[in-house]
Amino acid sequence: MNGLRVVPAWRHGQERLYVSLPDGGNIAWYDRDAARVNLLGEDREAEVLEALGPFLTGPVSVGPPLAPTPAELARLTLHPDDDLAPNRPGEALLVAIDRDPGPARLLRADPRHRALEAERAVGEVLDRMDGLGVRTLHSIPLPGGDRVHHLAIGPGGLYAVHAVYARRQRVTVADPLVTVGRRREPHPLLRRVRADADRVSYALTAEVRPVLVLAGASQVTVRTPPREVRVLTDGEVERLGGLGGVLKPADVEALHAMARDRNTWARL
């Protein structure tokens, strides 16, 4: 053994394996996602690779740390309080329920819990698309108390995603009206979905496509095809990850860096 230690850690949402000297000082780190070993000094390269040997999962590049891209610099300088990337699906609802849970006897009837279930279901699918190059933000606050449920940024472009609870219910879409269940009144929900996408487009100065996701719907009937809005069930959300030809990886990262900054939305 060469006395080096390998210490796993999370930095900016990504796992890294740091190689440390006995005194605790770091001399290298292994970035799994980039398949790269970053060396702070070339004199101990062989020892670093020996220490990392059990953790390497395939061919890796080795060298000094790469210069950060503009997107990485923006992310590194972002204050934690302004960073929206850690938001969980339904973050605003989670906070509201925690502050005011309401009477225990009414929990099942509380519409916030159903809305939270829908946002979680959709958010989990979107998060799984990270391997396809899609970066996702959840529960983006907008001025006036509104929010965007999810924002997906990937090779296929930008999507403002609005989730609606529709478990085991039939849904009828007649633009701009959406009716969930047989006994409920129709609501002009598609206007809200389009308006959210327009606000995101204005903030990021990029084209944004509106998406309505009917979480758990048993059947969806479209009587009047919606203008511009893509209507999906939560089982169809992964289709967004298969689209491409719009944004390059660097563009995705740059837009994600801009979108995760709370101040970007405060200017609306």
PDB file of all heavy atoms in Angstrom, residues 27 73 100 104 129 132 146 151 158 160 164 185 192 199 203 254 263:
ATOM      1  N   ILE A  27      -4.854  14.999  -3.368  1.00  0.00           N
ATOM      2  CA  ILE A  27      -3.904  15.127  -4.480  1.00  0.00           C
ATOM      3  C   ILE A  27      -4.545  14.745  -5.819  1.00  0.00           C
ATOM      4  O   ILE A  27      -3.939  14.932  -6.865  1.00  0.00           O
ATOM      5  CB  ILE A  27      -2.639  14.276  -4.251  1.00  0.00           C
ATOM      6  CG1 ILE A  27      -3.005  12.800  -4.143  1.00  0.00           C
ATOM      7  CG2 ILE A  27      -1.896  14.749  -3.022  1.00  0.00           C
ATOM      8  CD1 ILE A  27      -1.773  11.891  -4.127  1.00  0.00           C
ATOM      9  N   LEU A  73     -18.498  27.687 -14.115  1.00  0.00           N
ATOM     10  CA  LEU A  73     -18.119  28.856 -13.317  1.00  0.00           C
ATOM     11  C   LEU A  73     -19.356  29.499 -12.701  1.00  0.00           C
ATOM     12  O   LEU A  73     -19.345  29.898 -11.530  1.00  0.00           O
ATOM     13  CB  LEU A  73     -17.370  29.875 -14.188  1.00  0.00           C
ATOM     14  CG  LEU A  73     -15.918  29.542 -14.527  1.00  0.00           C
ATOM     15  CD1 LEU A  73     -15.369  30.557 -15.518  1.00  0.00           C
ATOM     16  CD2 LEU A  73     -15.060  29.507 -13.265  1.00  0.00           C
ATOM     17  N   ASP A 100     -48.243  23.838   7.460  1.00  0.00           N
ATOM     18  CA  ASP A 100     -49.662  23.764   7.825  1.00  0.00           C
ATOM     19  C   ASP A 100     -50.222  22.421   7.383  1.00  0.00           C
ATOM     20  O   ASP A 100     -50.834  22.316   6.308  1.00  0.00           O
ATOM     21  CB  ASP A 100     -50.427  24.913   7.170  1.00  0.00           C
ATOM     22  CG  ASP A 100     -51.913  24.885   7.524  1.00  0.00           C
ATOM     23  OD1 ASP A 100     -52.273  24.239   8.526  1.00  0.00           O
ATOM     24  OD2 ASP A 100     -52.705  25.501   6.783  1.00  0.00           O
ATOM     25  N   ALA A 104     -55.855  16.184  10.998  1.00  0.00           N
ATOM     26  CA  ALA A 104     -55.540  14.810  10.607  1.00  0.00           C
ATOM     27  C   ALA A 104     -56.713  14.134   9.907  1.00  0.00           C
ATOM     28  O   ALA A 104     -56.532  13.347   8.977  1.00  0.00           O
ATOM     29  CB  ALA A 104     -55.119  14.006  11.841  1.00  0.00           C
ATOM     30  N   MET A 129     -34.028  10.446 -16.514  1.00  0.00           N
ATOM     31  CA  MET A 129     -33.574  10.758 -17.862  1.00  0.00           C
ATOM     32  C   MET A 129     -32.238  11.477 -17.886  1.00  0.00           C
ATOM     33  O   MET A 129     -31.747  11.881 -18.944  1.00  0.00           O
ATOM     34  CB  MET A 129     -34.647  11.601 -18.575  1.00  0.00           C
ATOM     35  CG  MET A 129     -35.900  10.803 -18.896  1.00  0.00           C
ATOM     36  SD  MET A 129     -37.382  11.824 -19.194  1.00  0.00           S
ATOM     37  CE  MET A 129     -36.773  12.983 -20.390  1.00  0.00           C
ATOM     38  N   LEU A 132     -29.696  10.347 -20.269  1.00  0.00           N
ATOM     39  CA  LEU A 132     -29.945  10.689 -21.671  1.00  0.00           C
ATOM     40  C   LEU A 132     -29.525  12.116 -21.983  1.00  0.00           C
ATOM     41  O   LEU A 132     -29.796  12.617 -23.078  1.00  0.00           O
ATOM     42  CB  LEU A 132     -31.431  10.502 -22.004  1.00  0.00           C
ATOM     43  CG  LEU A 132     -31.996   9.096 -21.802  1.00  0.00           C
ATOM     44  CD1 LEU A 132     -33.503   9.088 -22.034  1.00  0.00           C
ATOM     45  CD2 LEU A 132     -31.313   8.107 -22.733  1.00  0.00           C
ATOM     46  N   ASP A 146     -46.797  31.957  -8.267  1.00  0.00           N
ATOM     47  CA  ASP A 146     -46.903  30.832  -9.196  1.00  0.00           C
ATOM     48  C   ASP A 146     -45.594  30.041  -9.200  1.00  0.00           C
ATOM     49  O   ASP A 146     -44.586  30.477  -8.635  1.00  0.00           O
ATOM     50  CB  ASP A 146     -47.207  31.329 -10.612  1.00  0.00           C
ATOM     51  CG  ASP A 146     -48.575  31.960 -10.717  1.00  0.00           C
ATOM     52  OD1 ASP A 146     -49.471  31.561  -9.946  1.00  0.00           O
ATOM     53  OD2 ASP A 146     -48.746  32.863 -11.562  1.00  0.00           O
ATOM     54  N   LEU A 151     -38.963  21.651 -15.080  1.00  0.00           N
ATOM     55  CA  LEU A 151     -38.342  22.159 -16.299  1.00  0.00           C
ATOM     56  C   LEU A 151     -37.302  21.145 -16.746  1.00  0.00           C
ATOM     57  O   LEU A 151     -36.371  20.847 -16.013  1.00  0.00           O
ATOM     58  CB  LEU A 151     -37.684  23.518 -16.065  1.00  0.00           C
ATOM     59  CG  LEU A 151     -36.911  24.099 -17.252  1.00  0.00           C
ATOM     60  CD1 LEU A 151     -37.848  24.353 -18.433  1.00  0.00           C
ATOM     61  CD2 LEU A 151     -36.187  25.389 -16.858  1.00  0.00           C
ATOM     62  N   LEU A 158     -36.219  22.505 -24.549  1.00  0.00           N
ATOM     63  CA  LEU A 158     -36.692  22.813 -23.209  1.00  0.00           C
ATOM     64  C   LEU A 158     -38.190  22.520 -23.112  1.00  0.00           C
ATOM     65  O   LEU A 158     -38.957  22.854 -24.021  1.00  0.00           O
ATOM     66  CB  LEU A 158     -36.450  24.291 -22.860  1.00  0.00           C
ATOM     67  CG  LEU A 158     -34.995  24.740 -22.740  1.00  0.00           C
ATOM     68  CD1 LEU A 158     -34.485  25.208 -24.092  1.00  0.00           C
ATOM     69  CD2 LEU A 158     -34.861  25.871 -21.731  1.00  0.00           C
ATOM     70  N   ALA A 160     -41.470  22.888 -20.348  1.00  0.00           N
ATOM     71  CA  ALA A 160     -42.094  23.288 -19.089  1.00  0.00           C
ATOM     72  C   ALA A 160     -43.211  22.292 -18.826  1.00  0.00           C
ATOM     73  O   ALA A 160     -44.205  22.239 -19.562  1.00  0.00           O
ATOM     74  CB  ALA A 160     -42.641  24.706 -19.185  1.00  0.00           C
ATOM     75  N   VAL A 164     -50.619  16.874 -13.306  1.00  0.00           N
ATOM     76  CA  VAL A 164     -51.972  16.875 -12.754  1.00  0.00           C
ATOM     77  C   VAL A 164     -52.298  15.477 -12.245  1.00  0.00           C
ATOM     78  O   VAL A 164     -52.062  14.477 -12.940  1.00  0.00           O
ATOM     79  CB  VAL A 164     -53.007  17.302 -13.818  1.00  0.00           C
ATOM     80  CG1 VAL A 164     -54.425  17.111 -13.303  1.00  0.00           C
ATOM     81  CG2 VAL A 164     -52.788  18.751 -14.211  1.00  0.00           C
ATOM     82  N   GLU A 185     -65.917  19.684 -12.914  1.00  0.00           N
ATOM     83  CA  GLU A 185     -66.098  20.733 -13.910  1.00  0.00           C
ATOM     84  C   GLU A 185     -64.821  20.882 -14.742  1.00  0.00           C
ATOM     85  O   GLU A 185     -63.709  20.746 -14.229  1.00  0.00           O
ATOM     86  CB  GLU A 185     -66.409  22.066 -13.227  1.00  0.00           C
ATOM     87  CG  GLU A 185     -67.758  22.103 -12.524  1.00  0.00           C
ATOM     88  CD  GLU A 185     -68.910  22.017 -13.510  1.00  0.00           C
ATOM     89  OE1 GLU A 185     -68.781  22.592 -14.619  1.00  0.00           O
ATOM     90  OE2 GLU A 185     -69.919  21.369 -13.185  1.00  0.00           O
ATOM     91  N   ARG A 192     -53.035  27.894 -18.650  1.00  0.00           N
ATOM     92  CA  ARG A 192     -52.009  27.989 -17.612  1.00  0.00           C
ATOM     93  C   ARG A 192     -50.713  27.320 -18.070  1.00  0.00           C
ATOM     94  O   ARG A 192     -49.617  27.864 -17.872  1.00  0.00           O
ATOM     95  CB  ARG A 192     -52.527  27.330 -16.333  1.00  0.00           C
ATOM     96  CG  ARG A 192     -51.455  26.874 -15.338  1.00  0.00           C
ATOM     97  CD  ARG A 192     -50.856  28.027 -14.568  1.00  0.00           C
ATOM     98  NE  ARG A 192     -49.731  27.590 -13.741  1.00  0.00           N
ATOM     99  CZ  ARG A 192     -49.853  27.037 -12.527  1.00  0.00           C
ATOM    100  NH1 ARG A 192     -51.052  26.833 -12.008  1.00  0.00           N
ATOM    101  NH2 ARG A 192     -48.783  26.698 -11.835  1.00  0.00           N
ATOM    102  N   ARG A 199     -43.510  32.195 -19.899  1.00  0.00           N
ATOM    103  CA  ARG A 199     -42.706  32.888 -18.890  1.00  0.00           C
ATOM    104  C   ARG A 199     -41.302  32.296 -18.812  1.00  0.00           C
ATOM    105  O   ARG A 199     -40.314  33.028 -18.669  1.00  0.00           O
ATOM    106  CB  ARG A 199     -43.391  32.815 -17.528  1.00  0.00           C
ATOM    107  CG  ARG A 199     -44.738  33.517 -17.492  1.00  0.00           C
ATOM    108  CD  ARG A 199     -45.370  33.484 -16.119  1.00  0.00           C
ATOM    109  NE  ARG A 199     -44.740  34.427 -15.202  1.00  0.00           N
ATOM    110  CZ  ARG A 199     -45.112  34.618 -13.940  1.00  0.00           C
ATOM    111  NH1 ARG A 199     -46.122  33.898 -13.443  1.00  0.00           N
ATOM    112  NH2 ARG A 199     -44.522  35.492 -13.173  1.00  0.00           N
ATOM    113  N   ALA A 203     -37.749  34.247 -19.622  1.00  0.00           N
ATOM    114  CA  ALA A 203     -36.649  34.309 -18.644  1.00  0.00           C
ATOM    115  C   ALA A 203     -35.351  33.773 -19.210  1.00  0.00           C
ATOM    116  O   ALA A 203     -34.266  34.305 -18.934  1.00  0.00           O
ATOM    117  CB  ALA A 203     -37.033  33.539 -17.380  1.00  0.00           C
ATOM    118  N   ALA A 254     -25.395  25.215 -20.190  1.00  0.00           N
ATOM    119  CA  ALA A 254     -25.482  26.669 -20.020  1.00  0.00           C
ATOM    120  C   ALA A 254     -26.897  27.089 -19.617  1.00  0.00           C
ATOM    121  O   ALA A 254     -27.078  27.918 -18.709  1.00  0.00           O
ATOM    122  CB  ALA A 254     -25.066  27.372 -21.308  1.00  0.00           C
ATOM    123  N   ASN A 263     -32.380  34.022  -9.105  1.00  0.00           N
ATOM    124  CA  ASN A 263     -32.464  35.405  -9.565  1.00  0.00           C
ATOM    125  C   ASN A 263     -32.935  35.501 -11.016  1.00  0.00           C
ATOM    126  O   ASN A 263     -33.448  36.540 -11.444  1.00  0.00           O
ATOM    127  CB  ASN A 263     -31.098  36.082  -9.427  1.00  0.00           C
ATOM    128  CG  ASN A 263     -30.680  36.189  -7.970  1.00  0.00           C
ATOM    129  OD1 ASN A 263     -31.359  36.819  -7.158  1.00  0.00           O
ATOM    130  ND2 ASN A 263     -29.565  35.571  -7.612  1.00  0.00           N
TER     131      ASN A 263
END
